[in-house]
Amino acid sequence: MPPYTAPRSLSLRPHEDDTVADRLTRSARQTTQGVALHTNDILGWLADRGRAHRFTVDRIGFDELKDWSFDERTGNLGHRSGRFFTVEGLDVTTSEGSVRSWQQPIIKQPEIGILGLLAKEFDGVLHFLMQAKMEPGNPNLLQLSPTVQATRSNYTKVHQGADVKYIEYFTAAGRGRVLADVLQSEHGSWFHHKSNRNMIVETSQEVRLDDDFCWLTLGQLSELLRHDNLVNMDSRTVLACLPTDRDEPGVLHPTTELLSWFTGERSRQDLHSRRIPLADVAGWTRGEDAIEHVQGRFFRVVAVRAQAGNREVSGWTQPLFEPVGTGIAAFLARRIGGVVHVLAQARAEAGFLDTVELGPTVQYTPANYGAATGPDHPPFHDLVLNVDPAAIRYQAVHSEEGGRFLNAESRYLIIDAEAAGLPFETPPGYCWITPGQLSSLARHGHYVNVQARTLLACFITGAVRW
């Protein structure tokens, strides 16, 4: 993996015998200048792209949704084409936690989308083609997305709009060298069994450059990941899949032992979920412009009208999930035997395909707990909320998937556990694991959840200074 120290300048001379990991390390060290843009100019370029197109998002009532409607029998909210996604109900029972059963709305999106990052070498340094993409749920609308970010309905043009740019590199054989290709989950609290295909493809061909795209090094992306709401969720999850193999002598738990622990957690935790009609979900009410919990907690289902001059369709309406507060996702980290480890939890979420995935040490939304204290809160939450700023090695506010969630933000942190006074011993369901081991698992589907992949991307790119 790239080192966890400040990147240094390095010659741009190609090395024919380099591995992919070597080339990624070299790209991670180029933090100030890419083939076209200086890092200091990227924010200005993004602002220019925002001014070049018309972007608007307005809240509307459910009766103003075009081509979306509630089914008279089930109450499910869906598109007239039967594609894109539906909002349904979910009934959940679990063997752990202070709440053992509940019902909620859930997004059901059975089709698998493509999150694709195109790579190309310039002057011996790998660059990645990033897109200035508007999503209706982003707090600032325009963020850096992967080269391709599209559902099957979008790239097969169910909406009868324009072609998805650069999609051919990810759907046509022989267009490049595949560096990563893995199915990954999305938010297990809001999606039911949702997977996206995370791909990285390297090309040696000449690539026409659209005005809304730019080539950036891994090091430039590391700098941008320190900014709030700049690198979108889909970019972060794809970056987490980079093949950054490095030997890590001195890991606390060898791979076989780690996998055995994780398999045991999947076997131990008992969670069952079943889809039910949205009209039957208890504890939630439907009004003219929102479906919300009777206590005003968790999230709301709302509707918006969006316009975007550079999207495949320039205007549309759709439902979105809007959480009630800012989430927290934090890894506690420490050196063990000289090697950086993070404290991962085996986290069960109702929408996961395999019940349990590895998540950050702390992952929760404080507003969902109100003023309550004590065992109802997740372990280590008080340590994270009250941490000495001197112990924080990384922090930024990142928005979640802006195509389905409205103003969904989380504060992402990596905290020095020793500086924060955390004992070495951990409760059941938690395990010390290196970023390298986490990276290896992220190249297989449904091992590492989307919040942990954001933090892993910060390690892989070098955004974490350790």
Side-chain angles (χ1 to χ4, degrees), residues 410-441:
S410 295
R411 183 182 177 216
Y412 283 89
L413 302 105
I414 295 173
I415 295 170
D416 186 332
E418 290 183 281
L422 177 73
F424 177 78
E425 294 75 17
T426 61
Y430 292 77
C431 184
W432 291 106
I433 176 174
T434 70
Q437 290 175 311
L438 206 60
S439 175
S440 295
L441 292 175

Side-chain angles (χ1 to χ4, degrees), residues 47-253:
D48 287 342
R49 300 323 305 156
R51 288 188 290 267
H53 306 283
R54 174 177 170 81
F55 299 120
T56 63
V57 176
D58 299 303
R59 294 172 183 262
I60 59 175
F62 290 131
D63 62 348
E64 297 178 77
L65 284 169
K66 181 182 178 181
D67 297 329
W68 294 82
S69 62
F70 290 97
D71 183 89
E72 292 182 359
R73 182 177 59 86
T74 64
N76 294 346
L77 179 56
H79 193 266
R80 67 176 180 85
S81 67
R83 303 288 294 274
F84 300 107
F85 64 93
T86 55
V87 180
E88 306 180 6
L90 197 70
D91 181 86
V92 185
T93 59
T94 180
S95 60
E96 299 190 1
S98 58
V99 178
R100 300 297 178 93
S101 65
W102 69 91
Q103 294 180 344
Q104 65 169 89
I106 199 82
I107 297 173
K108 182 61 178 177
Q109 186 173 330
E111 62 183 33
I112 293 173
I114 291 177
L115 307 178
L117 199 53
L118 188 62
K120 183 175 170 62
E121 194 169 276
F122 296 94
D123 296 326
V125 175
L126 273 177
H127 288 63
F128 301 89
L129 189 59
M130 308 301 296
Q131 177 182 180
K133 187 177 181 68
M134 176 270 197
E135 291 289 354
N138 288 343
N140 52 353
L141 294 185
L142 203 67
Q143 296 186 16
L144 287 173
S145 86
T147 318
V148 166
Q149 177 184 321
T151 66
R152 179 178 291 274
S153 291
N154 282 337
Y155 68 78
T156 58
K157 300 201 291 186
V158 171
H159 48 45
Q160 299 181 333
D163 292 331
V164 173
K165 295 179 177 70
Y166 305 106
I167 188 65
E168 64 273 12
Y169 289 97
F170 305 95
T171 57
R175 296 304 297 263
R177 176 188 180 189
V178 176
L179 302 183
D181 192 354
V182 58
L183 292 179
Q184 296 286 13
S185 66
E186 291 204 14
H187 298 76
S189 296
W190 297 332
F191 281 110
H192 185 258
H193 295 179
K194 174 72 170 68
S195 295
N196 270 326
R197 191 176 180 188
N198 289 229
M199 301 181 69
I200 305 170
V201 174
E202 182 183 3
T203 184
S204 59
Q205 301 175 358
E206 291 297 318
V207 179
R208 56 173 177 77
L209 190 62
D210 184 274
D211 289 342
D212 292 319
F213 292 75
C214 65
W215 292 103
L216 300 177
T217 68
L218 205 56
Q220 289 180 297
L221 288 168
S222 78
E223 296 297 314
L224 299 175
L225 279 165
R226 296 192 184 94
H227 292 261
D228 293 348
N229 291 324
L230 183 55
V231 180
N232 83 353
M233 188 216 78
D234 299 289
S235 295
R236 302 191 306 264
T237 179
V238 177
L239 289 169
C241 300
L242 283 165
T244 55
D245 294 310
R246 281 287 184 269
D247 291 333
E248 290 182 305
V251 299
L252 181 63
H253 301 290

Side-chain angles (χ1 to χ4, degrees), residues 297 324-328 363-372 377 381 385:
R297 300 163 67 188
V324 299
T326 300
I328 291 178
Q363 178 189 321
Y364 85 124
T365 301
N368 290 340
Y369 290 80
H377 284 70
H381 80 281
L385 287 179

Side-chain angles (χ1 to χ4, degrees), residues 331-390:
F331 265 137
L332 297 172
R334 71 191 311 148
R335 288 192 180 274
I336 302 174
V339 179
V340 174
H341 288 65
V342 298
L343 186 59
Q345 66 164 307
R347 180 178 175 84
E349 295 185 21
F352 283 159
L353 185 63
D354 290 318
T355 303
V356 169
E357 296 189 12
L358 291 173
T361 318
V362 175
Q363 178 189 321
Y364 85 124
T365 301
N368 290 340
Y369 290 80
T373 60
D376 288 348
H377 284 70
F380 311 113
H381 80 281
D382 51 345
L383 185 152
V384 170
L385 287 179
N386 301 307
V387 65
D388 183 342

